[in-house]
Amino acid sequence: MRVSAKTIQILLTIIATILAIAALKATSAITIPLAFAFFIAVLVHPLQRWLNRHVPHWLSLVIVMLVLAGVVGLAIGALLLSAEIVEPKAPQYLDRLQQMFQDAMAWAKQRGLPVEQLSSQDSQGQLT
């Protein structure tokens, strides 16, 4: 049985893809921050390039860093504001979530689905 060159190339591509994904997963503690930094650099590059034409290089760097700090500050402020709005309503949301879970369990039991494991976790208060 003879294997064609195209088949070998496809199989090697599949193997290389699997190995690359495994390597990225194994090094995620390093690659995720690097990817995020690269993403930020790509986002601010047009502003940096435009500012370099109009102001000295050191000043354009300072301006870009201040803009980034402002954007991060706005994002954190928006998250904090959202948390302040949601926090008083959290008990209501939890009650509603528990009711929906109980309804789903009853629905599953009516249809004969195995839910004993989930029921025991619910009674212990350890829903995940």
Side-chain angles (χ1 to χ4, degrees):
M1 178 177 193
R2 192 155 198 228
V3 180
S4 71
K6 185 161 178 108
T7 303
I8 292 174
Q9 184 180 10
I10 291 171
L11 289 174
L12 286 175
T13 302
I14 292 170
I15 291 170
T17 303
I18 291 170
L19 288 174
I21 291 171
L24 285 173
K25 187 172 183 174
T27 61
S28 65
I30 296 170
T31 56
I32 290 176
L34 283 176
F36 184 68
F38 179 73
F39 177 72
I40 296 298
V42 167
L43 280 179
V44 300
H45 184 263
L47 176 63
Q48 176 76 37
R49 193 176 60 219
W50 183 82
L51 284 172
N52 278 339
R53 284 186 251 143
H54 301 294
V55 296
H57 181 69
W58 67 270
L59 185 58
S60 68
L61 285 175
V62 169
I63 292 170
V64 167
M65 294 304 284
L66 288 173
V67 167
L68 278 174
V71 168
V72 168
L74 285 173
I76 290 172
L79 287 173
L80 290 174
L81 181 63
S82 298
E84 287 179 12
I85 292 171
V86 169
E87 191 245 339
K89 297 180 182 180
Q92 296 171 351
Y93 293 148
L94 182 59
D95 292 340
R96 178 69 180 130
L97 182 62
Q98 288 174 341
Q99 181 62 42
M100 289 171 61
F101 179 75
Q102 290 171 356
D103 293 345
M105 294 290 289
W107 179 86
K109 283 182 183 178
Q110 288 175 351
R111 281 149 183 82
L113 297 174
V115 291
E116 293 79 25
Q117 183 181 8
L118 291 174
S119 297
S120 66
Q121 288 177 348
D122 181 36
S123 65
Q124 296 172 0
Q126 297 177 353
L127 288 177
T128 56

